[in-house]
């Protein structure tokens, strides 16, 4: 029996995945264990791999196989094979628009820029990072022009992370959300209530934080037999192939929340990766549908589960056993209030649920201006500080805690940030649907039962890969189109109870 065009596509995609998983492993190594002097050679390694991957993905033979599948009507069926063909066609059409030299240069520049960013942040020296960012922005403009767009060059880049999303729609969504968030944040500040946050700023030994964080990640379902946890400057979740999911975090011996919630956040990403069908690795139906959906999984476990009173009703006792001196004399309700403190702050990854999306709006607006050429990179620190004063009422004291705090722009991830807010919106809506389907989730969490929620997500979200688009998948899961109302209802209920604000 002769091999079909679809079979040839699958074989080709799986071989390409061997290269992309190697790229992912090199990225993880670069962010965790790479010796400082090895950065330049690593840049050449990843650029070479990027060239090989791009050549395979844009091979004219792939287009011919796709054409054969489409001629047979395979792309029209409601099946995983049809979804693979449709998504492979979309990817092929997009990638064939990108010149190989541009792909290679983007990869090389990102590798060098990430090292420059790490050094610049440590030294609080934006000027040393500026030329790298200027080069990256120039390359991303070339990418947008090569891909093409109808209204905004930003749309072309956004489509990489959230297929089908546009600046016009996001501006409406984020604008509506900000209109309701701003009064809530103002009411929280005006309440004058101060949670006892100093209970989180005691002696939390790093070894014990790592032990406790891994224990909780295991309890919610992350499989460390197929993953690991390491240290990096900017927490992330990466993968290096099936059954190989890498979580990272950063620790502070005098602060509990930062590392713990980054572990829980990245474990949420990891659960999604481990929930994707391993037998379809390398194919669209074995990949995450969008970063917004990916982020919905991490934010759900971090915030809707991990910052709930029910969660800590179960884990507060084990926390006291792990950190007896730090937790001595602390009551559960006081600890719960502390980990849900809401106040305008500088660092996005440490922001509370009420203010987090304001951080995203700042970045969304600035990177549009950078890409359009309306904001020179040299003026970015001042523009950043101005936006923070406008939206959060605070001004960063330095660039390390301001414009240099995120790794994304050094990697060339322009258009990535809005997916965080989309993730918050999707998470709240899916969590409500899970509650309707599974019963009292709070009671389950209080008893230490997290598997029902994980299994529900695996069944309704993870296993589909890219079979459905993000909005379509979310509506299948929840029965409703995306709305900001579930998120705002959650925030009003939580902060109304804690601060008397609504």
């Amino acid at each position: 029996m002769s091999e079909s065009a679809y079979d040839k596509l699958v074989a080709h995609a799986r071989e390409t995945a061997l290269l992309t998983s190697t790229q992912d492993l090199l990225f993880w190594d670069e962010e965790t264990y790479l010796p400082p002097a090895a950065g330049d050679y690593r840049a050449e390694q990843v650029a070479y791999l990027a060239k090989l991957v791009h050549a395979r993905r844009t091979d004219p033979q792939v287009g011919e196989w796709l054409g054969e599948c489409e001629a047979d009507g395979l792309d029209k069926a409601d099946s995983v094979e049809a979804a693979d063909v449709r998504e492979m066609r979309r990817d092929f059409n997009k990638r064939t628009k990108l010149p190989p030299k541009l792909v290679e240069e983007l990869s090389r520049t990102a590798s060098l820029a990430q090292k420059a960013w790490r050094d610049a942040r440590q030294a609080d020296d934006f000027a040393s990072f500026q030329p790298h960012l200027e080069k990256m922005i120039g390359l991303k403009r070339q990418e947008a022009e090569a891909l093409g767009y109808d209204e905004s060059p930003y749309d072309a880049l956004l489509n990489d992370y959230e297929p089908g999303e546009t600046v016009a729609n996001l501006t409406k969504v984020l604008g509506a959300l900000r209109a309701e968030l701003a009064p809530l944040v103002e009411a929280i500040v005006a309440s004058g209530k101060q949670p006892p946050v100093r209970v989180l700023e005691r002696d939390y030994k790093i070894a014990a934080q790592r032990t406790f964080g891994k224990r909780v990640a295991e309890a919610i379902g992350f499989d460390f037999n197929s993953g690991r946890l390491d240290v990096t400057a900017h927490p992330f979740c990466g993968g290096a192939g099936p059954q190989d999911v890498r979580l990272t975090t950063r620790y502070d011996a005098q602060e509990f929340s930062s590392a713990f919630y980054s572990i829980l956040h990245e474990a949420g990403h990891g659960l999604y990766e481990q929930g994707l069908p391993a037998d379809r690795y390398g194919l669209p139906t074995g990949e995450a549908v969008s970063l917004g959906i990916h982020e919905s999984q991490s934010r759900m476990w971090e915030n809707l589960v991990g910052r709930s009173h029910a969660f800590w009703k179960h884990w507060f006792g084990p926390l006291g056993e792990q950190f007896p001196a730090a937790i001595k004399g602390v009551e559960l309700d006081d600890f719960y209030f502390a980990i849900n403190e809401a106040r305008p702050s500088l660092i996005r990854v440490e922001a509370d649920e009420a203010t987090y999306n304001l951080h995203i709006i700042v970045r969304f607006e600035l990177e549009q201006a950078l890409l359009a050429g309306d904001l020179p990179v040299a003026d970015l620190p001042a523009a950043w500080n101005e936006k923070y004063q406008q939206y959060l009422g605070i001004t960063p004291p330095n660039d390390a805690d301001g414009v240099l705090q995120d790794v994304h722009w050094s990697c060339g991830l322009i258009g990535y940030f809005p997916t965080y807010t989309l993730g918050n919106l999707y998470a709240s809506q899916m969590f409500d649907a899970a509650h309707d389907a599974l019963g009292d989730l709070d009671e389950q969490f209080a008893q230490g039962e997290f598997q029902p929620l994980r299994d529900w997500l695996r069944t309704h979200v993870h296993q589909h890969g890219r079979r459905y688009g993000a909005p379509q998948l979310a509506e299948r899961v929840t029965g409703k189109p995306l709305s900001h109302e579930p998120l705002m209802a959650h925030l009003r209920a939580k902060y109304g109870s804690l601060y008397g604000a609504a």
Side-chain angles (χ1 to χ4, degrees), residues 9 15 35 97 124 146 158 193 215 226 254-255 272 326 328 331 333 351 357 366 370 389 401 423 429 492 497 499:
L9 278 172
E15 288 183 3
K97 294 178 180 178
D124 186 24
L158 178 63
K193 292 187 176 181
R215 180 180 174 186
S226 299
Q254 302 301 314
E255 208 282 325
Y272 190 4
K328 184 177 181 180
E331 299 294 330
D333 287 348
N357 294 300
L366 288 176
L370 286 169
Q389 183 60 47
D401 289 334
Q429 196 159 327
R492 289 192 184 99
S497 173
Y499 286 91

Side-chain angles (χ1 to χ4, degrees), residues 263-324:
I263 291 173
L264 205 55
H265 179 98
E266 303 308 338
H269 283 303
L271 287 175
Y272 190 4
E273 290 296 317
Q274 291 182 341
L276 291 166
D279 63 339
R280 304 200 71 77
Y281 183 79
L283 304 175
T285 49
E287 299 171 346
V289 60
S290 78
L291 287 183
I293 296 296
H294 223 312
E295 193 65 18
S296 76
Q297 304 306 286
S298 60
R299 300 296 281 184
M300 185 182 299
W301 287 103
E302 176 192 0
N303 290 329
L304 302 179
V305 179
R307 294 186 191 272
S308 69
H309 193 278
F311 178 89
W312 284 107
K313 187 176 181 181
H314 174 74
W315 284 109
F316 191 65
L319 180 73
E321 295 169 4
Q322 191 73 60
F323 305 98

Side-chain angles (χ1 to χ4, degrees), residues 91-378:
D91 294 344
F92 180 78
N93 288 350
K94 179 177 70 175
R95 287 165 181 150
T96 52
K97 294 178 180 178
L98 295 176
K101 287 186 178 180
L102 175 60
V103 174
E104 186 177 356
E105 189 58 28
L106 276 165
S107 184
R108 179 184 292 108
T109 299
S111 187
L112 294 172
Q114 287 168 67
K115 181 182 184 302
W117 166 77
R118 286 192 296 272
D119 294 343
R121 188 178 190 213
Q122 185 174 8
D124 186 24
D125 180 17
F126 180 80
S128 67
F129 177 58
Q130 180 181 324
H132 295 273
L133 184 55
E134 287 173 339
K135 183 172 183 180
M136 179 60 75
I137 294 297
L139 291 172
K140 298 305 284 188
R141 287 187 188 126
Q142 292 180 43
E143 181 181 350
E145 293 302 321
L147 291 171
Y149 52 87
D150 291 330
E151 296 183 12
S152 168
Y154 193 85
D155 288 342
L157 304 183
L158 178 63
N159 194 57
D160 252 358
Y161 313 112
E162 208 64 28
E165 193 57 84
T166 65
V167 168
N169 184 59
L170 276 179
T171 300
K172 293 177 184 177
V173 171
L174 297 184
L177 184 61
R178 180 175 177 268
E180 294 195 33
L181 274 178
L184 176 62
V185 173
E186 290 173 3
I188 289 169
V189 173
S191 74
K193 292 187 176 181
Q194 298 293 327
V197 294
R198 291 199 177 278
V199 304
L200 304 174
E201 300 167 355
R202 298 177 176 178
D203 182 16
Y204 291 93
K205 290 183 171 51
I206 289 176
Q209 287 192 53
R210 177 180 171 84
T211 297
F212 186 73
K214 286 189 67 176
R215 180 180 174 186
V216 174
E218 284 181 317
I220 67 171
F222 185 79
D223 179 9
F224 278 98
N225 190 49
S226 299
R228 55 181 293 129
L229 174 65
D230 293 277
V231 177
T232 189
H234 189 99
F236 67 93
C237 170
Q243 287 80 49
D244 189 354
V245 179
R246 312 293 179 97
L247 312 182
T248 67
T249 190
R250 60 187 178 209
Y251 296 98
D252 182 341
Q254 302 301 314
E255 208 282 325
F256 172 77
S257 290
S258 178
F260 178 76
Y261 281 106
S262 76
I263 291 173
L264 205 55
H265 179 98
E266 303 308 338
H269 283 303
L271 287 175
Y272 190 4
E273 290 296 317
Q274 291 182 341
L276 291 166
D279 63 339
R280 304 200 71 77
Y281 183 79
L283 304 175
T285 49
E287 299 171 346
V289 60
S290 78
L291 287 183
I293 296 296
H294 223 312
E295 193 65 18
S296 76
Q297 304 306 286
S298 60
R299 300 296 281 184
M300 185 182 299
W301 287 103
E302 176 192 0
N303 290 329
L304 302 179
V305 179
R307 294 186 191 272
S308 69
H309 193 278
F311 178 89
W312 284 107
K313 187 176 181 181
H314 174 74
W315 284 109
F316 191 65
L319 180 73
E321 295 169 4
Q322 191 73 60
F323 305 98
I327 299 301
K328 184 177 181 180
V330 179
E331 299 294 330
L332 169 59
D333 287 348
D334 289 336
F335 183 83
Y336 170 68
F337 195 7
I339 56 103
N340 282 294
E341 178 193 23
R343 63 178 174 82
S345 59
L346 294 172
I347 308 300
R348 174 187 63 84
V349 296
E350 298 173 6
D352 57 82
E353 292 179 86
T355 61
Y356 182 88
N357 294 300
L358 298 176
H359 292 260
I360 299 304
I361 293 171
V362 168
R363 290 153 174 79
F364 175 58
E365 295 180 354
L366 288 176
E367 60 186 15
Q368 285 183 74
L370 286 169
L371 193 66
D374 297 332
L375 175 63
V377 172

